[in-house]
């Protein structure tokens, strides 16, 4: 990454965390140059970008001052701490950059964006995406890549199309992605669950299900599972693929948070396959903004024709304007810059969350709740409640305290009864300075 982008992200994060406060002067160009061991031209470039985004402003012969405040309660209203939402924080949406890309896309493609495209997606975006996917060890062929209206559309298509193994039952981790579970039950698609905990899944049980049940595909979130927040080891990923190949079961790998991986050796299941058993899904909604509604699907050769047919019937194509803007956003280096900014933001919040949870667990009644130690960036984690504690009552009491949390009932199939009583925690919409107080209030209401 360019040096100035690293400096830009560092200054922006210090503003967001309150180290540089609203209306206050930030260090001089000379001071920043010395602190970060870089040329003054790099500092000037970073500050110019921050000024363009209206985060700082300059006063002649005085210096640079902070414009954007740390998020506080709206005057006259109580601050609401939302630990329930898993959407990206609107405060870090790249509004200006993406607006620029939309305008540029219209200038470049003109009328082409306002007519029907192709079911596979904008060809030039597919070219860009294919190159980008190699950063995640996903070496997909162009003809296997589809642009979808978010991951949800890809999942809905995969749930209903016939597969080469002529099976109909879908296996899904429990707890799992609530919207896919809703979709399966609404479409009356046969589905089974396999329990997943902080320790992973029982691979012997997985093999039994693959062997005895007519499983069409196994839907899994190997990385940053929602809502548990945990990831499979590389050994577990390889074993899951080995079992799938042995029993001719397809794997649908939802890698929706691939951009936030910190371990360069954490490859997806797809990287171990031979383009026959793994369907790879990736989303842009968690790193840019949910309304973008663009997902990527890497489809095996045996499913390309039927997947294309069903996608064409459903929507002809996904938004051409959004696709063209995303192509420009990636090609201009804006995506990489924003990704590093988001990773730094969530890394800081994770540090605050770890500290808060560790502090609370050392206090009274530690046996009444537990949590899984966090190893990487924590988009999702959870507090496991004791059997004697009502999750619903805790949620209600916290809501009265202006703290929003959710349980995991919607993350289970109705037919799956081996459920854990947990409070889901998402920190994507809670500022660093509010996490410790929020966790303290949550724990108090548990007791």
């Amino acid at each position: 990454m360019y040096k100035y982008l690293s400096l830009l992200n560092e200054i922006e994060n210090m503003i967001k965390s309150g180290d540089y406060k609203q209306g206050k002067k930030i260090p001089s160009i000379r001071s920043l140059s010395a602190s970060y061991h870089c040329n003054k031209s790099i500092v000037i470039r970073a500050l110019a970008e921050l000024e363009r985004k209206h985060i700082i402003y300059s006063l002649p012969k005085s210096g640079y001052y902070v414009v954007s405040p740390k998020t506080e309660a709206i005057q006259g209203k109580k601050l609401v701490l939302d630990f329930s939402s898993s959407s990206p924080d609107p405060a870090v949406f790249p509004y200006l950059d993406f607006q620029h890309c939309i305008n540029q896309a219209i200038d470049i493609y003109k009328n082409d964006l306002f007519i029907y495209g192709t079911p596979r997606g904008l060809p030039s975006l597919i070219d860009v995406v294919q190159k980008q996917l190699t950063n995640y060890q996903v070496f997909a062929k162009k003809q296997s890549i589809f642009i979808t209206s978010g991951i949800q559309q890809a999942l809905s298509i995969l749930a209903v199309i016939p597969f080469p193994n002529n099976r109909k039952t879908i296996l899904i981790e429990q707890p799992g992605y609530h919207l896919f579970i809703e979709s399966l039950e609404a479409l009356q698609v046969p589905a089974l669950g396999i329990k997943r905990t902080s320790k992973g899944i029982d691979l012997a049980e997985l093999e039994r299900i693959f062997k005895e049940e007519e499983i069409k595909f196994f839907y899994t979130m190997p990385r940053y599972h929602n809502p548990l927040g945990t990831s499979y080891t590389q050994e577990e990923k390889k074993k899951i693929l080995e079992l799938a190949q042995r029993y001719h079961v397809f794997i649908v790998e939802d890698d929706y948070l691939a951009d936030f991986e910190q371990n360069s050796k954490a490859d997806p299941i797809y990287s171990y396959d031979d383009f026959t058993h793994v369907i790879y899904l990736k989303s842009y909604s968690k790193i840019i903004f949910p309304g973008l509604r663009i997902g990527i699907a890497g489809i095996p050769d045996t499913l390309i024709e039927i997947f294309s047919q069903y996608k064409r019937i459903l929507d002809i194509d996904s938004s051409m304007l959004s696709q063209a803007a995303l192509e420009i956003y990636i090609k201009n280096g804006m995506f990489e810059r924003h990704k590093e900014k988001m990773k730094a933001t969530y890394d800081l919040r994770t540090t605050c969350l770890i500290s808060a949870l560790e502090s609370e667990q050392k206090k009274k009644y530690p046996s009444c709740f537990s949590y899984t130690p966090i190893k990487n960036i924590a988009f999702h984690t959870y507090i496991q409640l004791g059997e004697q504690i009502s999750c619903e009552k805790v949620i209600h009491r916290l809501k009265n305290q202006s703290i929003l949390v959710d349980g995991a009932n919607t993350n289970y199939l109705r037919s799956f009864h081996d459920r854990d009583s947990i409070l889901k925690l998402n920190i994507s919409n809670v500022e660093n300075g509010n996490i410790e107080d929020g966790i303290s209030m949550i724990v108090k209401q548990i007791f």
Side-chain angles (χ1 to χ4, degrees):
M1 187 177 63
Y2 295 114
K3 186 79 174 180
Y4 96 93
L5 291 179
S6 178
L7 175 59
L8 189 155
N9 289 334
E10 180 70 21
I11 297 173
E12 191 167 354
N13 282 323
M14 293 186 77
I15 291 171
K16 285 182 63 62
S17 66
D19 292 329
Y20 297 151
K21 298 186 182 299
Q22 179 187 14
K24 299 297 183 181
K25 185 178 179 180
I26 66 174
S28 66
I29 292 173
R30 179 180 297 175
S31 177
L32 289 170
S33 176
S35 297
Y36 291 95
H37 307 291
C38 60
N39 295 330
K40 290 181 182 179
S41 60
I42 292 175
V43 177
I44 292 170
R45 185 179 179 187
L47 294 177
E49 177 69 11
L50 289 169
E51 188 171 19
R52 186 184 72 80
K53 295 176 68 177
H54 308 294
I55 292 173
I56 62 174
Y57 65 97
S58 61
L59 290 178
K61 299 181 180 180
S62 178
Y64 290 86
Y65 294 79
V66 176
V67 172
S68 60
K70 178 182 175 183
T71 302
E72 301 289 351
I74 299 173
Q75 188 173 9
K77 294 185 179 180
K78 191 172 184 179
L79 177 64
V80 175
L81 302 184
D82 187 358
F83 287 91
S84 64
S85 174
S86 60
S87 297
D89 186 349
V92 293
F93 285 0
Y95 295 110
L96 295 176
D97 284 351
F98 212 80
Q99 181 183 32
H100 168 75
C101 292
I102 289 173
N103 293 336
Q104 194 173 358
I106 293 174
D107 288 341
I108 293 173
Y109 290 99
K110 296 185 172 62
N111 294 338
D112 291 343
L113 300 182
F114 303 98
I115 59 176
Y116 291 132
T118 66
R120 287 189 54 232
L122 185 67
S124 54
L125 175 60
I126 291 175
D127 289 343
V128 171
V129 164
Q130 184 193 31
K131 294 176 183 176
Q132 188 186 56
L133 287 176
T134 62
N135 296 330
Y136 316 114
Q137 298 302 303
V138 174
F139 299 95
K141 297 175 288 187
K142 283 185 184 178
Q143 62 266 30
S144 73
I145 297 175
F146 284 76
I147 309 297
T148 61
S149 300
I151 282 181
Q152 188 65 19
Q153 184 192 48
L155 288 172
S156 297
I157 295 173
L158 293 168
V160 297
I161 64 175
F163 270 45
N165 57 16
N166 295 316
R167 301 170 189 169
K168 296 182 179 180
T169 302
I170 293 170
L171 181 65
I172 182 171
E173 296 160 332
Q174 298 288 275
Y177 179 33
H178 68 287
L179 290 179
F180 187 41
I181 289 172
E182 282 184 37
S183 175
L184 292 175
E185 293 180 336
L187 295 171
Q188 297 184 330
V189 175
L192 292 175
I194 181 168
K195 189 175 181 67
R196 180 167 174 176
T197 69
S198 59
K199 297 179 181 179
I201 58 173
D202 184 336
L203 292 171
E205 175 65 4
L206 183 68
E207 180 171 13
R208 184 198 67 77
I209 294 173
F210 281 180
K211 184 177 181 180
E212 297 180 5
E213 305 289 346
E214 292 293 310
I215 302 301
K216 175 180 177 179
F217 66 75
F218 173 39
Y219 170 73
T220 176
M221 289 180 278
R223 179 169 11 213
Y224 300 124
H225 178 271
N226 181 3
L228 302 181
T230 55
S231 301
Y232 288 136
T233 64
Q234 295 306 105
E235 292 72 23
E236 287 172 316
K237 293 175 188 177
K238 291 177 182 179
K239 183 62 177 178
I240 290 169
L241 176 60
E242 177 193 328
L243 292 174
Q245 292 172 335
R246 185 187 309 171
Y247 295 102
H248 198 27
V249 173
F250 286 83
I251 295 173
V252 174
E253 180 177 21
D254 189 343
D255 203 15
Y256 73 117
L257 290 178
D259 295 298
F260 296 96
E261 181 59 69
Q262 294 174 308
N263 180 2
S264 61
K265 296 182 180 179
D267 297 333
I269 298 175
Y270 186 92
S271 67
Y272 303 116
D273 190 32
D274 56 0
F275 307 106
T276 59
H277 284 80
V278 181
I279 297 151
Y280 181 83
L281 305 180
K282 181 186 180 299
S283 171
Y284 288 93
S285 67
K286 297 299 183 184
I287 193 164
I288 302 179
F289 43 79
L292 184 60
R293 306 309 304 146
I294 289 184
I296 306 298
I299 306 297
D301 291 345
T302 54
L303 287 170
I304 288 176
E305 184 176 349
I306 190 68
F307 188 91
S308 178
Q309 178 187 345
Y310 272 67
K311 187 177 184 303
R312 183 172 63 252
I313 292 170
L314 285 174
D315 71 350
I316 302 179
D317 59 39
S318 301
S319 167
M320 295 294 285
L321 181 57
S322 293
Q323 291 184 63
L326 179 61
E327 176 203 336
I328 294 168
Y329 189 70
I330 295 172
K331 287 173 69 174
N332 285 358
M334 294 177 178
F335 178 85
E336 283 300 313
R337 174 195 168 273
H338 181 67
K339 182 176 79 171
E340 294 303 319
K341 169 186 170 183
M342 293 287 282
K343 287 172 72 173
T345 297
Y346 287 125
D347 190 44
L348 285 172
R349 294 184 186 183
T350 299
T351 300
C352 294
L353 179 62
I354 292 171
S355 175
L357 288 170
E358 288 178 347
S359 176
E360 291 302 322
Q361 195 171 48
K362 292 175 183 177
K363 296 180 181 179
K364 61 181 181 179
Y365 311 128
S367 61
C368 289
F369 84 95
S370 60
Y371 73 96
T372 300
I374 300 164
K375 298 179 180 179
N376 290 306
I377 291 177
F379 294 88
H380 313 282
T381 190
Y382 64 98
I383 293 175
Q384 183 139 0
L385 304 178
E387 293 181 1
Q388 72 276 30
I389 299 172
S390 168
C391 185
E392 290 73 19
K393 289 182 179 179
V394 173
I395 293 171
H396 180 72
R397 291 199 297 267
L398 287 167
K399 187 175 182 180
N400 290 335
Q401 297 293 319
S402 297
I403 297 179
L404 305 181
V405 294
D406 276 336
N409 276 338
T410 58
N411 298 95
Y412 288 98
L413 293 163
R414 291 176 193 155
S415 59
F416 194 84
H417 302 296
D418 185 12
R419 305 183 179 195
D420 290 323
S421 180
I422 66 175
L423 281 180
K424 299 187 294 184
L425 297 177
N426 296 294
I427 55 171
S428 57
N429 280 270
V430 185
E431 289 282 354
N432 301 343
N434 297 322
I435 290 174
E436 183 177 359
D437 289 342
I439 294 298
S440 178
M441 294 174 71
I442 288 171
V443 174
K444 286 178 181 176
Q445 291 302 322
I446 291 175
F447 302 133

